[in-house]
Amino acid sequence: MDNKQDILELLRSVARGQTSPEEALLSLKEEPFEDLDYAKIDFHRSVRQGAAEVIYGAGKTPEQIIGIVKTMGERGCRNILVTRIGQEAADELSAVVPVDYHPIPRLAIAFPEERPGRGNIVVATGGTSDMAVAEEAALTAEAMGNKVTRLYDVGVAGLHRLLSNLDVLMSARCVVAVAGMEGALASVVGGLVDCPVIAVPTSVGYGASFGGLSALLSMLNSCASGCSVVNIDNGFGAGYLASMINQMESIKEDKK
Amino acid sequence: MDNKQDILELLRSVARGQTSPEEALLSLKEEPFEDLDYAKIDFHRSVRQGAAEVIYGAGKTPEQIIGIVKTMGERGCRNILVTRIGQEAADELSAVVPVDYHPIPRLAIAFPEERPGRGNIVVATGGTSDMAVAEEAALTAEAMGNKVTRLYDVGVAGLHRLLSNLDVLMSARCVVAVAGMEGALASVVGGLVDCPVIAVPTSVGYGASFGGLSALLSMLNSCASGCSVVNIDNGFGAGYLASMINQMESIKEDKK
Amino acid sequence: MDNKQDILELLRSVARGQTSPEEALLSLKEEPFEDLDYAKIDFHRSVRQGAAEVIYGAGKTPEQIIGIVKTMGERGCRNILVTRIGQEAADELSAVVPVDYHPIPRLAIAFPEERPGRGNIVVATGGTSDMAVAEEAALTAEAMGNKVTRLYDVGVAGLHRLLSNLDVLMSARCVVAVAGMEGALASVVGGLVDCPVIAVPTSVGYGASFGGLSALLSMLNSCASGCSVVNIDNGFGAGYLASMINQMESIKEDKK
Amino acid sequence: MDNKQDILELLRSVARGQTSPEEALLSLKEEPFEDLDYAKIDFHRSVRQGAAEVIYGAGKTPEQIIGIVKTMGERGCRNILVTRIGQEAADELSAVVPVDYHPIPRLAIAFPEERPGRGNIVVATGGTSDMAVAEEAALTAEAMGNKVTRLYDVGVAGLHRLLSNLDVLMSARCVVAVAGMEGALASVVGGLVDCPVIAVPTSVGYGASFGGLSALLSMLNSCASGCSVVNIDNGFGAGYLASMINQMESIKEDKK
Amino acid sequence: MDNKQDILELLRSVARGQTSPEEALLSLKEEPFEDLDYAKIDFHRSVRQGAAEVIYGAGKTPEQIIGIVKTMGERGCRNILVTRIGQEAADELSAVVPVDYHPIPRLAIAFPEERPGRGNIVVATGGTSDMAVAEEAALTAEAMGNKVTRLYDVGVAGLHRLLSNLDVLMSARCVVAVAGMEGALASVVGGLVDCPVIAVPTSVGYGASFGGLSALLSMLNSCASGCSVVNIDNGFGAGYLASMINQMESIKEDKK
Amino acid sequence: MDNKQDILELLRSVARGQTSPEEALLSLKEEPFEDLDYAKIDFHRSVRQGAAEVIYGAGKTPEQIIGIVKTMGERGCRNILVTRIGQEAADELSAVVPVDYHPIPRLAIAFPEERPGRGNIVVATGGTSDMAVAEEAALTAEAMGNKVTRLYDVGVAGLHRLLSNLDVLMSARCVVAVAGMEGALASVVGGLVDCPVIAVPTSVGYGASFGGLSALLSMLNSCASGCSVVNIDNGFGAGYLASMINQMESIKEDKK
Amino acid sequence: MDNKQDILELLRSVARGQTSPEEALLSLKEEPFEDLDYAKIDFHRSVRQGAAEVIYGAGKTPEQIIGIVKTMGERGCRNILVTRIGQEAADELSAVVPVDYHPIPRLAIAFPEERPGRGNIVVATGGTSDMAVAEEAALTAEAMGNKVTRLYDVGVAGLHRLLSNLDVLMSARCVVAVAGMEGALASVVGGLVDCPVIAVPTSVGYGASFGGLSALLSMLNSCASGCSVVNIDNGFGAGYLASMINQMESIKEDKK
Amino acid sequence: MDNKQDILELLRSVARGQTSPEEALLSLKEEPFEDLDYAKIDFHRSVRQGAAEVIYGAGKTPEQIIGIVKTMGERGCRNILVTRIGQEAADELSAVVPVDYHPIPRLAIAFPEERPGRGNIVVATGGTSDMAVAEEAALTAEAMGNKVTRLYDVGVAGLHRLLSNLDVLMSARCVVAVAGMEGALASVVGGLVDCPVIAVPTSVGYGASFGGLSALLSMLNSCASGCSVVNIDNGFGAGYLASMINQMESIKEDKK
């Protein structure tokens, strides 16, 4: 059961009540993950979600990262994302497998392959210093086959920079709003557009920004409807969710 | 410019570059809101977003609420949501305009009208005590024209209750996961489904739940991809966003 | 040394080096305050600063409040502000001295007298629920002889409400921006105007607003230059400071 | 529309109702900012506010800083402040444009030019260790054309150091009170002077100072009227606001 | 072993090495406490420390309080303090044993007896609203045989009120400084006197005072030497410790 | 599969590898819970763990509680615990089913039945005010068939009260240490005994106890080995875990 | 009194009331610890608890560690654990005494000796990055004579990895659940097994994990019965407690 | 007015009412401090309090420290304490003036001179790792002429280590209790002795110790009477206050 079509068929059968979820679970469990002792690599998410794979690089040794990536690559995974990986570990990795490394977001894409950019996701930032997180979001979304428009340094303290790009914002199917400090970007954008806004607080700032807490609370309290929030600096999570939302129509027929 | 089609036409013209955003803004600004002195009622969101209107009831006097609802009703708004409104104020309101009042989520729907339930949103809760918040989400989504399936008291400490409903979860286009205490529901659900999960932390609990902080942090740190979080107890926000996501395909043609 | 002119003369003499500050301090110390045992009433601030007097009502018994107000009134104070005083205590007070009571901000003005409204202070709020704090600021500023323009419910989630009032904002010599929840109003206003902005976070909100903490942090992190912040719900402090700034030119001659 | 007089004329026309804010906004939007991809440089604030420009150096690469400064310099900006920039990056910058670098506050002033010191701003600190933040405030204010008097190490635990300088304090049109640890300086100064006091909490201290939180809370709770607070360690923000207040009379004619 | 002299003899014998601490402990253990099931009443502290007994009233039923007080009274205890006891419970108590009740600090003194006021403790407060806590401290110290001078409403925002009482402060053997909000009183007093200062933060205030946290942190960070801090609102603890310090000389010979 | 022996047999078969966990899960799933719409009542825990059932009463209506208890009772559950239930709701409940109600811990035991007290659990408290939480723990443990010894008001500030009961402590198979304020009891007890210590922080206290946070942190940092911590005021959780540990030997045969 | 049997005899005599605890205490006090000036080495815990000794390495110099280990070794201690000791200090130590060093948990075991693995403790982690803490727990338990089964990278976001190991979990006498980020592992495991679960939050994560606070709160709020929590990253504490619980039956005879 | 006797005379004259505090203040103001621009060195505290001088080294450059120490030395100060100064800066200092440097507490004593050890202060620590803070306290007290007894590593988890030193504790006139982690030492000591206990929380620990917050809260909540708390890691403050208390009797005659 290695390609997505088979699995979709199974899931639909579950949805129609023809297969019980338990039976489906058992079917899915054949070789569900490979056990590397220090990691249990899951191949289901890939097939189930058509998604790029992700490895959280922080706290893992280069050896562990290489082991996981190689195993995935052998199973046919492409565009495998390794987040929060330093230049040095990325160099070790790229000596073994093909890698695109992006130093600003410290993101490696292993076994990279071009994917067509569908729909339109706008990634906006409050300031220049939020770029690292924004690029993690944008590159994640691109690796998952989405068209991404970047709109950087449009913070609310200089509102005309944002208003001059109203057309860009309004053409989005989903906006990722990345901001540190007071995090007001999400609220203002949320009030201007009519699509979901994913707010990403960043740890950019000092003093009472308390490592991103200020932006996080601000975004959670956003008065604009249609906003939701991911963890501080979690560019990957925002890009992944934006892709999910942007590509909603492709499963419209399956779920109606 | 009172119906949605006109506005969509305008927005597309902006997207095509035929109209500048500034011109569009000026067009939209004719009678943009009614000024009640204590409130500036915005009618754009309604037309722009095809959405139910919402009034945050806490901190407003019954007189203010009635004033706002009546003005909206006169402009043709229907299914106007008033959140966090007590029985007494709801009684005052329903003496003036038609109202459906739901005491558990303390939610009033003024000028109620039936809307066809489209797609499928699942609202799940960890415990019975999370029902008030969950109902705010579910009723909001229903008022906005969505089909909602309720799945209450399926917390992760008794996992088989959740697994027995795997088919319900897997048929969702969007899941709203409502939980207090340790808030683990969002992570577990997020790992099981392949659609966006909106996590709503609740203030249910005691001691180290610190008014919902524990569930909030837990959900923000969720290891499952595709999750995002709204404010503690913000059932309305989750229901509104779930509706936006569930109805994404309806604007597919406009944004491609 | 009971009138302001004498004291100004003394202060100038200090500034010129003709009188040592110690001598000045001694001069000012004659009858510096009246000791009511539970309170030491300061009459200097009044003469020194030409300001309305203020009594923080919370935590004081009606008897204590009446005692302080009467003593002040006997010394010629007018427009004495009593903040955070309930209806009942205000009634007791107004049985003894002339009082204007404002129930929304729970503010009493004892020995009220009309003062000419000079300059222009704008008091803006994010929502209707912030009115109590905003009125404390506005009434304080009016009691101190300032012209105040109210601009309520212009939160950033509906930006055109704010932009439609750009002319009002731009005519201000000082803006008081009152907002709860995400507190973004201060940043947006700060980026639009070229005068000082005093941000007042309010405890309005729920969940992750944590009693105003979210708005407070947001405002402290404001990216807009020219903003400063007072305590949560401190309408009085904002109104007092706004008056000081608005009336800066009146002491221009003394300090040049 | 490159000089301030033209813009003031436009703003007055707005204030008189002869021009709508929307029209004014459109006028101001011609070449409103230069887009460097990673930054959108705003030239309006400069003309609108007659203010020195500021670049927050932390989180920007030397290349980005140089790019922004050069673009600004080409547009005629002078006294461009770059805050939180290390010696090394400052050296790179000064190899390209003229720079005054101040190592204690880690502040660079690019394209420096002397400006006449108007009015009188006093910058006071609680201790010697608060000097870095105080100098950021003082140098910012000086770059914006203000006279600044420094009063360092006058913390309240040795009150006579402060009282001996009462004359200096009383001659100020605005005081910037910089203090870490218990942050009591702002309250004591606020009770002694009759001009606005801008409190700057610093992260100086250890243990329960929690990175400046203690001083921040203390200053927000100040019992003295006329105090407001900026972010922890935000010397620039305090200096900028102090300049605005100190120079209030210069725009008196425009707003009366 | 019921009177203090015997115990002192024993302790000295321990200090001289003539009795081992274990033997002393065993001696002291004869009938060390009375077990009321819900409480184990300790009579040692009384004899060991010559101190008034204290019962923390909050969270105890009137029956439990009466039971404890009666048992103590029967054993000869006098001036038994019951803190945080409401009027109603105090009335029930005074129906059974002789009681002096003080409603402002909500403090009952059971089996009251006059004691000579030795030395000099000054209890100072920042504001009128801090009186409840200050009275708990003052009455505790008086019950333990100390002379207490009250100095209320001498907060640092009106410094001359404090400076006018410099002679009172300087005559103290120990100062209890009680203040809420920014809590600066302790630092200023600590810099003026040369005796120990016990700082008591109070929960008086609002907003960013966070229930006394602001004053607590401020006092812990006090730059003045000789200050130490007790729990928020802990007037009893401060009064008890002040008594200990004020009466230090009485054991001078024993410990040299 | 309604009695415990059957289930144990199944579990052992799983442990021996004769039955796969999936098969076991399916077996267990027959009628796994009863769905009351607002609650999904789990009967497995009861059979699986031989434990008393628990219903968290807070946030549930009396109707919901009664519905759950009745359903459980019909299935044969006994000693059903309802925690945090007020007198009034308990009265409603006891009108329908047999109930033992304990007002101090606000705990109801429905369908009560005597169980033999096995082993020895000591429940100790720091003060009298911690009794409510301690009783919740003690009664839970007793309902689950354990012998419980109560040792109340033995806080560390009067160490001899604790040392006099060393024999009681040392006879325990598990100690539950309940304390608020500084929570030191757990550390001291942990250093004296050689069995597991379950620490329960309580919200008893004021000021810097911050609702139990102080005791919680203190207990988490305990230097004594063998201590672990449950949520603030979670007497039930401590009693339940203590029972599990105390009865470890009864399942020894099954797991060896 | 150097071997455990003697001490057990004494303790039983206390439990039977034949020896007073005070007498026992005195007996135990003969040579109770060795005083190295900077450390007082306790040999009682070892004999009393049959436990491996532990030295918290952080904050101690290599000289101090060596001094303590040598002294212990001379007294016959084996399997002495030194936690949080870097490679360098471990090398210094192993030059003097026999040492097994584990770099991932930074744990040294001095005077190592094999012990038979009794019972069954399962140590499970949410992710690969939690291994350092998990290994501290596992190695501690092994050093104390327990059989340990490792189950790493079974976080709840990929539930089938956990469910596939249900048989391993169900065979445990005690589970140590180690997880950072949202810490949901403890709740899910707690709901699946019927033995005590010791939850160890880790500081793994970023942003709103706040150094392990998120996982800590989540685990404290766990809805599963039978869970308790130790300090963040406290692998040693969890392993020690797990050993105590796992070996409960071995002391069953003594306490019945 | 350079020696203490003159100043005592003056203060007594104030206390008798023969001199006004203002006159005294003026007398004291002659050469009250030396102004080094970056520091205002106060010589009063020295004469007024007979105390060692202290310089907080953190955040000061070696040049600034040397400048301050030299100026003090020239005025006759001896035993000048420089806290939180690294080895390198201490070396620079000792090249210029005589210095005793203590690397563990990072404390330098400039112009050291022996002083007779009066009374008895006990400095106790919970663990070996608390030594740095404890030594700062002990050396400060010794420099101020007190006898100090060190009692290290007597944490409450091994209670007999503390009880074996009961005689040492009971001979103290003041105890400084230094502890990190759960900070229980202060409470236990406070319950054993009848003299003031100064609690010093330390930042020793990890995880939920949150940099000393846990110990700080624990100590503030201490149930033992007679305890007060200084800032985290503030050994100097504790030593200074202990000296003040230990030497109380010397001013008995002056203050009666």
Side-chain angles (χ1 to χ4, degrees), chain H residues 149-199:
Chain H
T149 309
R150 287 158 173 84
L151 205 55
Y152 289 171
D153 195 25
V154 292
V156 301
L159 208 54
H160 55 291
R161 295 177 301 181
L162 189 66
L163 294 179
S164 301
N165 288 286
L166 214 48
D167 45 351
V168 178
L169 279 174
M170 286 197 157
S171 69
R173 280 177 59 81
C174 182
V175 178
V176 176
V178 182
M181 305 297 285
E182 94 274 59
L185 184 65
S187 290
V188 172
V189 167
L192 290 172
V193 302
D194 59 348
C195 67
V197 174
I198 304 168

Side-chain angles (χ1 to χ4, degrees), chain F residues 157 182 187 191 208-209 214 218 221 223, chain H residues 157 182 187 191 208-209 214 218 221 223:
Chain F
E182 93 274 58
S187 289
S209 78
S214 170
S218 180
N221 281 287
C223 302
Chain H
E182 94 274 59
S187 290
S209 78
S214 170
S218 180
N221 280 286
C223 302

Side-chain angles (χ1 to χ4, degrees), chain D residues 157 182 187 191 208-209 214 218 221 223, chain E residues 157 182 187 191 208-209 214 217-218 221:
Chain D
E182 94 273 59
S187 290
S209 78
S214 170
S218 179
N221 281 285
C223 302
Chain E
E182 94 273 59
S187 291
S209 78
S214 170
L217 292 181
S218 180
N221 280 286

Side-chain angles (χ1 to χ4, degrees), chain G residues 72 124 242:
Chain G
M72 283 179 159

